Amino acid sequence: GENVEQHPSTLSVQEGDSAVIKCTYSDSASNYFPWYKQELGKGPQLIIDIRSNVGEKKDQRIAVTLNKTAKHFSLHITETQPEDSAVYFCAASSNTGTASKLTFGTGTRLQVTL
Amino acid sequence: DTGVSQDPRHKITKRGQNVTFRCDPISEHNRLYWYRQTLGQGPEFLTYFQNEAQLEKSRLLSDRFSAERPKGSFSTLEIQRTEQGDSAMYLCASSVGTGPSGANVLTFGAGSRLTVL
């Protein structure tokens, strides 16, 4: 089955700096890669996603890049703000058969300091 | 629509007791998923419904776990004879799916946290 690895596990940046989180996946059939943000006591919230026919996607301060050859994808947050502090999860989905289940990474705790 | 609702938000029980969680998905979503999340880990897939049909179950879903979605709307997840290892956050998600393939965007609920003493 799919295996997703995520690094780093913790990341501390100063407000205004950029943050980068990287993930690798094992199943070459995976074709959908979402990123979720989880705040304390809440469920994961989708912040951006990318599909395998696209190499890069941007939404304001957030961007995701995908390298299918190397089987890795990254989340980039620019001009970080204190409200960006949360745990971020990458995930991958291969959508084989009738299931569309996500395999998640182990998360990155991002702390944005003033 | 207020999104995916889960109840209860927190449940503390003694080992050996049965517990049931309820999930109300977004009304127009035909697909519903259960995930489990332990401390410091990402969510792990448990099971998936399309309408009322349970189409896939993870090996994580032992015989003590049962999930239903009787009318294709809300779903319940029951854990019988709870064990301390069942302590986790149980997350429900829903999505719209129109066919067997094609990535679905999952919307998660806030989760039901289970503590087994």
Side-chain angles (χ1 to χ4, degrees):
Chain A
E2 176 66 277
N3 182 50
V4 176
E5 295 190 355
Q6 183 172 347
H7 300 281
S9 56
T10 60
L11 180 59
S12 182
V13 300
Q14 285 196 323
E15 183 179 7
D17 287 350
S18 295
V20 180
I21 302 170
K22 298 182 179 182
C23 289
T24 60
Y25 62 97
S26 62
D27 188 350
S28 57
S30 289
N31 57 8
Y32 175 61
F33 307 91
W35 286 87
Y36 283 83
K37 175 183 181 182
Q38 188 172 28
E39 297 175 316
L40 197 63
K42 297 183 179 180
Q45 287 188 303
L46 180 72
I47 56 171
I48 195 167
D49 58 13
I50 192 168
R51 299 176 191 270
S52 60
N53 58 343
V54 176
E56 184 174 355
K57 184 177 178 180
K58 189 173 182 180
D59 182 5
Q60 299 183 339
R61 296 186 297 109
I62 295 173
V64 57
T65 59
L66 171 65
N67 184 329
K68 284 219 74 180
T69 303
K71 293 189 211 167
H72 66 70
F73 55 114
S74 301
L75 177 72
H76 304 252
I77 306 174
T78 58
E79 302 172 22
T80 54
Q81 300 167 3
E83 51 265 39
D84 294 330
S85 296
V87 180
Y88 291 81
F89 292 97
C90 62
S93 172
S94 64
N95 299 307
T96 55
T98 56
S100 177
K101 60 180 184 277
L102 298 174
T103 300
F104 283 83
T106 50
T108 296
R109 181 172 299 279
L110 173 64
Q111 183 173 7
V112 180
T113 57
L114 297 173
Chain B
D1 192 359
T2 56
V4 178
S5 299
Q6 293 190 244
D7 184 71
R9 292 293 312 278
H10 303 276
K11 179 72 177 177
I12 300 174
T13 191
K14 293 182 179 179
R15 188 177 55 186
Q17 298 295 304
N18 298 344
V19 296
T20 299
F21 302 114
R22 176 181 169 122
C23 172
D24 287 89
I26 293 172
S27 57
E28 62 267 26
H29 286 187
N30 61 337
R31 293 184 173 180
L32 186 146
Y33 309 77
W34 286 99
Y35 283 75
R36 182 176 71 185
Q37 185 177 26
T38 53
L39 203 60
Q41 299 297 314
E44 295 174 293
F45 172 80
L46 292 179
T47 190
Y48 148 74
F49 291 84
Q50 178 153 316
N51 300 313
E52 67 276 7
Q54 187 174 18
L55 297 184
E56 188 165 344
K57 294 193 289 186
S58 163
R59 288 172 294 177
L60 293 175
L61 215 64
S62 75
D63 292 344
R64 297 184 297 104
F65 288 70
S66 63
E68 294 182 344
R69 194 183 183 198
K71 297 182 180 179
S73 56
F74 74 91
S75 174
T76 58
L77 176 68
E78 181 183 16
I79 309 174
Q80 296 182 326
R81 306 182 302 282
T82 53
E83 302 173 355
Q84 289 184 325
D86 297 332
S87 296
M89 175 79 84
Y90 290 86
L91 293 162
C92 177
S94 67
S95 72
V96 174
T98 57
S101 62
N104 300 291
V105 176
L106 271 63
T107 301
F108 282 86
S112 293
R113 180 167 296 283
L114 173 64
T115 302
V116 182
L117 302 175

mmCIF file of all heavy atoms in Angstrom, chain A residues 39-86:
data_model
loop_
_atom_site.group_PDB
_atom_site.id
_atom_site.type_symbol
_atom_site.label_atom_id
_atom_site.label_comp_id
_atom_site.label_asym_id
_atom_site.label_seq_id
_atom_site.Cartn_x
_atom_site.Cartn_y
_atom_site.Cartn_z
ATOM 1 N N GLU A 39 -5.763 22.510 13.625
ATOM 2 C CA GLU A 39 -5.576 23.306 14.835
ATOM 3 C C GLU A 39 -6.045 22.497 16.035
ATOM 4 O O GLU A 39 -6.809 21.533 15.902
ATOM 5 C CB GLU A 39 -6.319 24.631 14.712
ATOM 6 C CG GLU A 39 -5.786 25.495 13.573
ATOM 7 C CD GLU A 39 -6.595 26.756 13.358
ATOM 8 O OE1 GLU A 39 -7.833 26.663 13.369
ATOM 9 O OE2 GLU A 39 -5.976 27.820 13.184
ATOM 10 N N LEU A 40 -5.577 22.889 17.196
ATOM 11 C CA LEU A 40 -5.849 22.141 18.414
ATOM 12 C C LEU A 40 -7.342 21.957 18.633
ATOM 13 O O LEU A 40 -8.108 22.918 18.590
ATOM 14 C CB LEU A 40 -5.215 22.861 19.609
ATOM 15 C CG LEU A 40 -5.058 22.042 20.878
ATOM 16 C CD1 LEU A 40 -4.124 20.869 20.647
ATOM 17 C CD2 LEU A 40 -4.551 22.914 22.018
ATOM 18 N N GLY A 41 -7.759 20.709 18.825
ATOM 19 C CA GLY A 41 -9.156 20.422 19.104
ATOM 20 C C GLY A 41 -10.073 20.443 17.896
ATOM 21 O O GLY A 41 -11.291 20.349 18.034
ATOM 22 N N LYS A 42 -9.491 20.540 16.713
ATOM 23 C CA LYS A 42 -10.311 20.595 15.501
ATOM 24 C C LYS A 42 -9.911 19.492 14.538
ATOM 25 O O LYS A 42 -8.842 18.894 14.649
ATOM 26 C CB LYS A 42 -10.153 21.953 14.813
ATOM 27 C CG LYS A 42 -10.644 23.124 15.657
ATOM 28 C CD LYS A 42 -10.536 24.423 14.886
ATOM 29 C CE LYS A 42 -11.042 25.597 15.717
ATOM 30 N NZ LYS A 42 -10.939 26.881 14.972
ATOM 31 N N GLY A 43 -10.787 19.229 13.586
ATOM 32 C CA GLY A 43 -10.464 18.271 12.551
ATOM 33 C C GLY A 43 -9.585 18.899 11.485
ATOM 34 O O GLY A 43 -9.452 20.117 11.402
ATOM 35 N N PRO A 44 -8.945 18.086 10.652
ATOM 36 C CA PRO A 44 -8.101 18.620 9.581
ATOM 37 C C PRO A 44 -8.936 19.427 8.581
ATOM 38 O O PRO A 44 -10.048 19.033 8.234
ATOM 39 C CB PRO A 44 -7.543 17.356 8.915
ATOM 40 C CG PRO A 44 -7.734 16.264 9.910
ATOM 41 C CD PRO A 44 -8.955 16.622 10.681
ATOM 42 N N GLN A 45 -8.369 20.540 8.128
ATOM 43 C CA GLN A 45 -9.030 21.384 7.127
ATOM 44 C C GLN A 45 -8.161 21.467 5.885
ATOM 45 O O GLN A 45 -6.965 21.770 5.980
ATOM 46 C CB GLN A 45 -9.257 22.789 7.686
ATOM 47 C CG GLN A 45 -10.348 22.874 8.726
ATOM 48 C CD GLN A 45 -10.656 24.317 9.101
ATOM 49 O OE1 GLN A 45 -9.769 25.041 9.517
ATOM 50 N NE2 GLN A 45 -11.900 24.718 8.937
ATOM 51 N N LEU A 46 -8.760 21.212 4.742
ATOM 52 C CA LEU A 46 -8.036 21.277 3.478
ATOM 53 C C LEU A 46 -7.594 22.714 3.203
ATOM 54 O O LEU A 46 -8.392 23.648 3.291
ATOM 55 C CB LEU A 46 -8.935 20.800 2.341
ATOM 56 C CG LEU A 46 -8.313 20.819 0.945
ATOM 57 C CD1 LEU A 46 -7.273 19.713 0.818
ATOM 58 C CD2 LEU A 46 -9.387 20.653 -0.135
ATOM 59 N N ILE A 47 -6.305 22.887 2.892
ATOM 60 C CA ILE A 47 -5.818 24.228 2.570
ATOM 61 C C ILE A 47 -5.426 24.352 1.103
ATOM 62 O O ILE A 47 -5.547 25.426 0.511
ATOM 63 C CB ILE A 47 -4.647 24.653 3.476
ATOM 64 C CG1 ILE A 47 -3.486 23.654 3.411
ATOM 65 C CG2 ILE A 47 -5.115 24.873 4.904
ATOM 66 C CD1 ILE A 47 -2.231 24.132 4.123
ATOM 67 N N ILE A 48 -4.965 23.277 0.510
ATOM 68 C CA ILE A 48 -4.617 23.290 -0.897
ATOM 69 C C ILE A 48 -4.424 21.852 -1.350
ATOM 70 O O ILE A 48 -4.123 20.980 -0.538
ATOM 71 C CB ILE A 48 -3.339 24.130 -1.165
ATOM 72 C CG1 ILE A 48 -3.180 24.456 -2.650
ATOM 73 C CG2 ILE A 48 -2.093 23.435 -0.637
ATOM 74 C CD1 ILE A 48 -2.127 25.531 -2.935
ATOM 75 N N ASP A 49 -4.646 21.588 -2.617
ATOM 76 C CA ASP A 49 -4.415 20.249 -3.151
ATOM 77 C C ASP A 49 -3.863 20.358 -4.567
ATOM 78 O O ASP A 49 -3.960 21.404 -5.212
ATOM 79 C CB ASP A 49 -5.664 19.376 -3.104
ATOM 80 C CG ASP A 49 -6.850 19.983 -3.863
ATOM 81 O OD1 ASP A 49 -6.658 20.951 -4.634
ATOM 82 O OD2 ASP A 49 -7.979 19.509 -3.677
ATOM 83 N N ILE A 50 -3.261 19.274 -5.023
ATOM 84 C CA ILE A 50 -2.699 19.253 -6.366
ATOM 85 C C ILE A 50 -2.921 17.880 -6.965
ATOM 86 O O ILE A 50 -2.888 16.877 -6.253
ATOM 87 C CB ILE A 50 -1.199 19.649 -6.346
ATOM 88 C CG1 ILE A 50 -0.682 19.909 -7.761
ATOM 89 C CG2 ILE A 50 -0.351 18.594 -5.642
ATOM 90 C CD1 ILE A 50 0.686 20.587 -7.784
ATOM 91 N N ARG A 51 -3.156 17.852 -8.248
ATOM 92 C CA ARG A 51 -3.367 16.583 -8.947
ATOM 93 C C ARG A 51 -2.169 16.309 -9.836
ATOM 94 O O ARG A 51 -1.413 17.215 -10.189
ATOM 95 C CB ARG A 51 -4.670 16.642 -9.729
ATOM 96 C CG ARG A 51 -5.855 16.867 -8.795
ATOM 97 C CD ARG A 51 -7.191 17.024 -9.497
ATOM 98 N NE ARG A 51 -8.203 17.491 -8.535
ATOM 99 C CZ ARG A 51 -8.957 16.684 -7.806
ATOM 100 N NH1 ARG A 51 -8.842 15.385 -7.930
ATOM 101 N NH2 ARG A 51 -9.844 17.174 -6.950
ATOM 102 N N SER A 52 -2.032 15.067 -10.236
ATOM 103 C CA SER A 52 -0.784 14.629 -10.859
ATOM 104 C C SER A 52 -0.536 15.221 -12.229
ATOM 105 O O SER A 52 0.563 15.121 -12.753
ATOM 106 C CB SER A 52 -0.757 13.103 -10.959
ATOM 107 O OG SER A 52 -1.844 12.657 -11.742
ATOM 108 N N ASN A 53 -1.529 15.851 -12.817
ATOM 109 C CA ASN A 53 -1.309 16.461 -14.122
ATOM 110 C C ASN A 53 -0.829 17.907 -14.025
ATOM 111 O O ASN A 53 -0.717 18.612 -15.028
ATOM 112 C CB ASN A 53 -2.595 16.389 -14.959
ATOM 113 C CG ASN A 53 -3.760 17.079 -14.280
ATOM 114 O OD1 ASN A 53 -3.733 17.345 -13.073
ATOM 115 N ND2 ASN A 53 -4.793 17.390 -15.042
ATOM 116 N N VAL A 54 -0.549 18.338 -12.783
ATOM 117 C CA VAL A 54 -0.108 19.711 -12.538
ATOM 118 C C VAL A 54 1.173 19.670 -11.734
ATOM 119 O O VAL A 54 1.318 18.842 -10.832
ATOM 120 C CB VAL A 54 -1.197 20.488 -11.768
ATOM 121 C CG1 VAL A 54 -0.717 21.885 -11.409
ATOM 122 C CG2 VAL A 54 -2.477 20.564 -12.584
ATOM 123 N N GLY A 55 2.138 20.545 -12.037
ATOM 124 C CA GLY A 55 3.398 20.549 -11.310
ATOM 125 C C GLY A 55 3.431 21.526 -10.154
ATOM 126 O O GLY A 55 4.199 21.335 -9.203
ATOM 127 N N GLU A 56 2.607 22.567 -10.227
ATOM 128 C CA GLU A 56 2.622 23.580 -9.186
ATOM 129 C C GLU A 56 1.253 24.251 -9.111
ATOM 130 O O GLU A 56 0.571 24.412 -10.132
ATOM 131 C CB GLU A 56 3.698 24.631 -9.468
ATOM 132 C CG GLU A 56 3.860 25.680 -8.388
ATOM 133 C CD GLU A 56 5.026 26.621 -8.637
ATOM 134 O OE1 GLU A 56 5.761 26.389 -9.611
ATOM 135 O OE2 GLU A 56 5.198 27.565 -7.853
ATOM 136 N N LYS A 57 0.886 24.625 -7.899
ATOM 137 C CA LYS A 57 -0.385 25.317 -7.697
ATOM 138 C C LYS A 57 -0.198 26.328 -6.593
ATOM 139 O O LYS A 57 0.474 26.046 -5.598
ATOM 140 C CB LYS A 57 -1.480 24.316 -7.335
ATOM 141 C CG LYS A 57 -2.872 24.903 -7.195
ATOM 142 C CD LYS A 57 -3.868 23.785 -6.911
ATOM 143 C CE LYS A 57 -5.275 24.311 -6.706
ATOM 144 N NZ LYS A 57 -6.225 23.202 -6.429
ATOM 145 N N LYS A 58 -0.791 27.514 -6.759
ATOM 146 C CA LYS A 58 -0.599 28.568 -5.777
ATOM 147 C C LYS A 58 -1.935 29.171 -5.392
ATOM 148 O O LYS A 58 -2.825 29.327 -6.220
ATOM 149 C CB LYS A 58 0.319 29.642 -6.353
ATOM 150 C CG LYS A 58 0.775 30.687 -5.354
ATOM 151 C CD LYS A 58 1.806 31.618 -5.966
ATOM 152 C CE LYS A 58 2.295 32.625 -4.944
ATOM 153 N NZ LYS A 58 3.309 33.553 -5.525
ATOM 154 N N ASP A 59 -2.058 29.502 -4.111
ATOM 155 C CA ASP A 59 -3.260 30.163 -3.615
ATOM 156 C C ASP A 59 -2.818 31.181 -2.567
ATOM 157 O O ASP A 59 -2.553 30.841 -1.427
ATOM 158 C CB ASP A 59 -4.231 29.144 -3.004
ATOM 159 C CG ASP A 59 -5.526 29.797 -2.518
ATOM 160 O OD1 ASP A 59 -5.723 31.006 -2.733
ATOM 161 O OD2 ASP A 59 -6.349 29.078 -1.919
ATOM 162 N N GLN A 60 -2.683 32.406 -2.996
ATOM 163 C CA GLN A 60 -2.237 33.511 -2.133
ATOM 164 C C GLN A 60 -0.870 33.180 -1.552
ATOM 165 O O GLN A 60 0.102 33.053 -2.288
ATOM 166 C CB GLN A 60 -3.298 33.807 -1.076
ATOM 167 C CG GLN A 60 -4.629 34.231 -1.695
ATOM 168 C CD GLN A 60 -5.678 34.608 -0.668
ATOM 169 O OE1 GLN A 60 -5.629 34.236 0.492
ATOM 170 N NE2 GLN A 60 -6.662 35.382 -1.103
ATOM 171 N N ARG A 61 -0.773 33.010 -0.233
ATOM 172 C CA ARG A 61 0.541 32.783 0.380
ATOM 173 C C ARG A 61 0.953 31.318 0.388
ATOM 174 O O ARG A 61 2.039 30.975 0.869
ATOM 175 C CB ARG A 61 0.517 33.307 1.819
ATOM 176 C CG ARG A 61 0.302 34.804 1.945
ATOM 177 C CD ARG A 61 0.444 35.248 3.402
ATOM 178 N NE ARG A 61 -0.567 34.658 4.278
ATOM 179 C CZ ARG A 61 -0.305 33.717 5.182
ATOM 180 N NH1 ARG A 61 0.922 33.262 5.360
ATOM 181 N NH2 ARG A 61 -1.275 33.254 5.949
ATOM 182 N N ILE A 62 0.095 30.460 -0.111
ATOM 183 C CA ILE A 62 0.362 29.021 -0.053
ATOM 184 C C ILE A 62 0.597 28.482 -1.462
ATOM 185 O O ILE A 62 -0.129 28.838 -2.392
ATOM 186 C CB ILE A 62 -0.823 28.295 0.600
ATOM 187 C CG1 ILE A 62 -0.963 28.727 2.058
ATOM 188 C CG2 ILE A 62 -0.636 26.779 0.522
ATOM 189 C CD1 ILE A 62 -2.207 28.188 2.735
ATOM 190 N N ALA A 63 1.606 27.632 -1.600
ATOM 191 C CA ALA A 63 1.872 26.986 -2.882
ATOM 192 C C ALA A 63 2.265 25.537 -2.637
ATOM 193 O O ALA A 63 2.820 25.194 -1.581
ATOM 194 C CB ALA A 63 2.984 27.714 -3.636
ATOM 195 N N VAL A 64 1.972 24.699 -3.596
ATOM 196 C CA VAL A 64 2.371 23.293 -3.524
ATOM 197 C C VAL A 64 3.051 22.930 -4.848
ATOM 198 O O VAL A 64 2.615 23.370 -5.919
ATOM 199 C CB VAL A 64 1.165 22.373 -3.238
ATOM 200 C CG1 VAL A 64 0.084 22.537 -4.267
ATOM 201 C CG2 VAL A 64 1.602 20.929 -3.113
ATOM 202 N N THR A 65 4.140 22.171 -4.751
ATOM 203 C CA THR A 65 4.830 21.684 -5.933
ATOM 204 C C THR A 65 4.832 20.170 -5.910
ATOM 205 O O THR A 65 4.849 19.551 -4.840
ATOM 206 C CB THR A 65 6.274 22.210 -5.992
ATOM 207 O OG1 THR A 65 6.968 21.780 -4.812
ATOM 208 C CG2 THR A 65 6.297 23.723 -6.071
ATOM 209 N N LEU A 66 4.818 19.576 -7.084
ATOM 210 C CA LEU A 66 4.779 18.118 -7.214
ATOM 211 C C LEU A 66 5.816 17.671 -8.224
ATOM 212 O O LEU A 66 5.884 18.205 -9.336
ATOM 213 C CB LEU A 66 3.387 17.661 -7.666
ATOM 214 C CG LEU A 66 3.231 16.199 -8.062
ATOM 215 C CD1 LEU A 66 3.467 15.286 -6.858
ATOM 216 C CD2 LEU A 66 1.850 15.949 -8.655
ATOM 217 N N ASN A 67 6.622 16.703 -7.833
ATOM 218 C CA ASN A 67 7.591 16.078 -8.725
ATOM 219 C C ASN A 67 7.243 14.594 -8.799
ATOM 220 O O ASN A 67 7.601 13.820 -7.915
ATOM 221 C CB ASN A 67 9.016 16.289 -8.199
ATOM 222 C CG ASN A 67 10.080 15.735 -9.140
ATOM 223 O OD1 ASN A 67 9.854 14.747 -9.849
ATOM 224 N ND2 ASN A 67 11.233 16.346 -9.136
ATOM 225 N N LYS A 68 6.535 14.199 -9.844
ATOM 226 C CA LYS A 68 6.071 12.813 -9.943
ATOM 227 C C LYS A 68 7.217 11.841 -10.179
ATOM 228 O O LYS A 68 7.172 10.702 -9.744
ATOM 229 C CB LYS A 68 5.035 12.693 -11.057
ATOM 230 C CG LYS A 68 3.679 13.236 -10.698
ATOM 231 C CD LYS A 68 2.564 12.366 -11.250
ATOM 232 C CE LYS A 68 2.405 11.084 -10.492
ATOM 233 N NZ LYS A 68 1.320 10.226 -11.017
ATOM 234 N N THR A 69 8.234 12.298 -10.876
ATOM 235 C CA THR A 69 9.370 11.421 -11.150
ATOM 236 C C THR A 69 10.051 11.017 -9.858
ATOM 237 O O THR A 69 10.381 9.860 -9.635
ATOM 238 C CB THR A 69 10.367 12.104 -12.091
ATOM 239 O OG1 THR A 69 9.684 12.480 -13.294
ATOM 240 C CG2 THR A 69 11.535 11.185 -12.417
ATOM 241 N N ALA A 70 10.245 12.001 -8.987
ATOM 242 C CA ALA A 70 10.918 11.759 -7.725
ATOM 243 C C ALA A 70 9.956 11.321 -6.635
ATOM 244 O O ALA A 70 10.377 10.973 -5.535
ATOM 245 C CB ALA A 70 11.674 13.010 -7.290
ATOM 246 N N LYS A 71 8.679 11.382 -6.920
ATOM 247 C CA LYS A 71 7.629 11.046 -5.950
ATOM 248 C C LYS A 71 7.732 11.893 -4.694
ATOM 249 O O LYS A 71 7.733 11.373 -3.567
ATOM 250 C CB LYS A 71 7.679 9.561 -5.590
ATOM 251 C CG LYS A 71 7.317 8.630 -6.736
ATOM 252 C CD LYS A 71 7.175 7.204 -6.242
ATOM 253 C CE LYS A 71 7.560 6.221 -7.306
ATOM 254 N NZ LYS A 71 7.732 4.876 -6.788
ATOM 255 N N HIS A 72 7.833 13.196 -4.887
ATOM 256 C CA HIS A 72 7.767 14.062 -3.723
ATOM 257 C C HIS A 72 6.999 15.329 -4.038
ATOM 258 O O HIS A 72 6.879 15.757 -5.198
ATOM 259 C CB HIS A 72 9.135 14.333 -3.100
ATOM 260 C CG HIS A 72 10.082 15.113 -3.936
ATOM 261 N ND1 HIS A 72 9.916 16.451 -4.228
ATOM 262 C CD2 HIS A 72 11.250 14.763 -4.505
ATOM 263 C CE1 HIS A 72 10.933 16.877 -4.947
ATOM 264 N NE2 HIS A 72 11.758 15.876 -5.141
ATOM 265 N N PHE A 73 6.416 15.885 -2.990
ATOM 266 C CA PHE A 73 5.657 17.126 -3.113
ATOM 267 C C PHE A 73 5.897 17.975 -1.873
ATOM 268 O O PHE A 73 6.244 17.436 -0.810
ATOM 269 C CB PHE A 73 4.164 16.855 -3.356
ATOM 270 C CG PHE A 73 3.475 15.977 -2.348
ATOM 271 C CD1 PHE A 73 2.479 16.497 -1.526
ATOM 272 C CD2 PHE A 73 3.766 14.625 -2.236
ATOM 273 C CE1 PHE A 73 1.815 15.697 -0.609
ATOM 274 C CE2 PHE A 73 3.110 13.818 -1.317
ATOM 275 C CZ PHE A 73 2.138 14.353 -0.508
ATOM 276 N N SER A 74 5.779 19.270 -2.036
ATOM 277 C CA SER A 74 6.136 20.200 -0.969
ATOM 278 C C SER A 74 5.094 21.293 -0.814
ATOM 279 O O SER A 74 4.446 21.688 -1.782
ATOM 280 C CB SER A 74 7.486 20.862 -1.278
ATOM 281 O OG SER A 74 8.505 19.899 -1.413
ATOM 282 N N LEU A 75 4.987 21.771 0.422
ATOM 283 C CA LEU A 75 4.111 22.901 0.753
ATOM 284 C C LEU A 75 4.990 24.092 1.085
ATOM 285 O O LEU A 75 5.932 23.967 1.871
ATOM 286 C CB LEU A 75 3.224 22.556 1.942
ATOM 287 C CG LEU A 75 2.301 23.671 2.454
ATOM 288 C CD1 LEU A 75 1.161 23.911 1.461
ATOM 289 C CD2 LEU A 75 1.737 23.326 3.831
ATOM 290 N N HIS A 76 4.672 25.222 0.483
ATOM 291 C CA HIS A 76 5.413 26.445 0.737
ATOM 292 C C HIS A 76 4.445 27.497 1.273
ATOM 293 O O HIS A 76 3.428 27.778 0.626
ATOM 294 C CB HIS A 76 6.050 26.966 -0.550
ATOM 295 C CG HIS A 76 6.935 25.973 -1.235
ATOM 296 N ND1 HIS A 76 8.304 26.100 -1.255
ATOM 297 C CD2 HIS A 76 6.652 24.835 -1.918
ATOM 298 C CE1 HIS A 76 8.824 25.082 -1.933
ATOM 299 N NE2 HIS A 76 7.834 24.297 -2.337
ATOM 300 N N ILE A 77 4.782 28.054 2.428
ATOM 301 C CA ILE A 77 3.983 29.146 2.988
ATOM 302 C C ILE A 77 4.891 30.369 3.056
ATOM 303 O O ILE A 77 5.945 30.332 3.700
ATOM 304 C CB ILE A 77 3.444 28.817 4.393
ATOM 305 C CG1 ILE A 77 2.673 27.498 4.382
ATOM 306 C CG2 ILE A 77 2.557 29.952 4.899
ATOM 307 C CD1 ILE A 77 2.235 27.032 5.765
ATOM 308 N N THR A 78 4.498 31.424 2.387
ATOM 309 C CA THR A 78 5.298 32.655 2.418
ATOM 310 C C THR A 78 4.680 33.661 3.377
ATOM 311 O O THR A 78 3.498 33.555 3.739
ATOM 312 C CB THR A 78 5.393 33.284 1.025
ATOM 313 O OG1 THR A 78 4.064 33.562 0.555
ATOM 314 C CG2 THR A 78 6.074 32.340 0.041
ATOM 315 N N GLU A 79 5.504 34.606 3.812
ATOM 316 C CA GLU A 79 5.034 35.690 4.706
ATOM 317 C C GLU A 79 4.212 35.126 5.867
ATOM 318 O O GLU A 79 3.074 35.531 6.099
ATOM 319 C CB GLU A 79 4.218 36.708 3.917
ATOM 320 C CG GLU A 79 4.990 37.340 2.764
ATOM 321 C CD GLU A 79 4.107 38.204 1.871
ATOM 322 O OE1 GLU A 79 3.041 38.650 2.320
ATOM 323 O OE2 GLU A 79 4.481 38.403 0.697
ATOM 324 N N THR A 80 4.805 34.194 6.577
ATOM 325 C CA THR A 80 4.066 33.506 7.634
ATOM 326 C C THR A 80 3.538 34.466 8.695
ATOM 327 O O THR A 80 4.154 35.497 8.997
ATOM 328 C CB THR A 80 4.949 32.444 8.310
ATOM 329 O OG1 THR A 80 6.166 33.051 8.747
ATOM 330 C CG2 THR A 80 5.236 31.295 7.367
ATOM 331 N N GLN A 81 2.380 34.080 9.247
ATOM 332 C CA GLN A 81 1.702 34.872 10.276
ATOM 333 C C GLN A 81 1.447 33.976 11.476
ATOM 334 O O GLN A 81 1.393 32.751 11.340
ATOM 335 C CB GLN A 81 0.399 35.417 9.708
ATOM 336 C CG GLN A 81 0.597 36.302 8.485
ATOM 337 C CD GLN A 81 -0.693 36.593 7.742
ATOM 338 O OE1 GLN A 81 -1.775 36.190 8.157
ATOM 339 N NE2 GLN A 81 -0.582 37.315 6.638
ATOM 340 N N PRO A 82 1.265 34.555 12.661
ATOM 341 C CA PRO A 82 1.024 33.728 13.860
ATOM 342 C C PRO A 82 -0.143 32.750 13.683
ATOM 343 O O PRO A 82 -0.087 31.632 14.190
ATOM 344 C CB PRO A 82 0.737 34.766 14.941
ATOM 345 C CG PRO A 82 1.499 35.970 14.510
ATOM 346 C CD PRO A 82 1.406 35.986 13.016
ATOM 347 N N GLU A 83 -1.151 33.141 12.931
ATOM 348 C CA GLU A 83 -2.306 32.254 12.734
ATOM 349 C C GLU A 83 -1.997 31.066 11.823
ATOM 350 O O GLU A 83 -2.829 30.163 11.678
ATOM 351 C CB GLU A 83 -3.514 33.022 12.186
ATOM 352 C CG GLU A 83 -3.222 33.868 10.969
ATOM 353 C CD GLU A 83 -2.906 35.313 11.333
ATOM 354 O OE1 GLU A 83 -2.221 35.555 12.360
ATOM 355 O OE2 GLU A 83 -3.320 36.202 10.575
ATOM 356 N N ASP A 84 -0.823 31.048 11.239
ATOM 357 C CA ASP A 84 -0.393 29.865 10.474
ATOM 358 C C ASP A 84 0.092 28.750 11.392
ATOM 359 O O ASP A 84 0.294 27.614 10.950
ATOM 360 C CB ASP A 84 0.732 30.225 9.489
ATOM 361 C CG ASP A 84 0.273 31.174 8.394
ATOM 362 O OD1 ASP A 84 -0.916 31.129 8.016
ATOM 363 O OD2 ASP A 84 1.107 31.980 7.928
ATOM 364 N N SER A 85 0.293 29.057 12.670
ATOM 365 C CA SER A 85 0.759 28.048 13.628
ATOM 366 C C SER A 85 -0.293 26.951 13.769
ATOM 367 O O SER A 85 -1.455 27.221 14.091
ATOM 368 C CB SER A 85 1.030 28.694 14.990
ATOM 369 O OG SER A 85 2.082 29.633 14.905
ATOM 370 N N ALA A 86 0.115 25.717 13.488
ATOM 371 C CA ALA A 86 -0.798 24.565 13.504
ATOM 372 C C ALA A 86 0.022 23.335 13.133
ATOM 373 O O ALA A 86 1.226 23.418 12.903
ATOM 374 C CB ALA A 86 -1.932 24.754 12.502
#
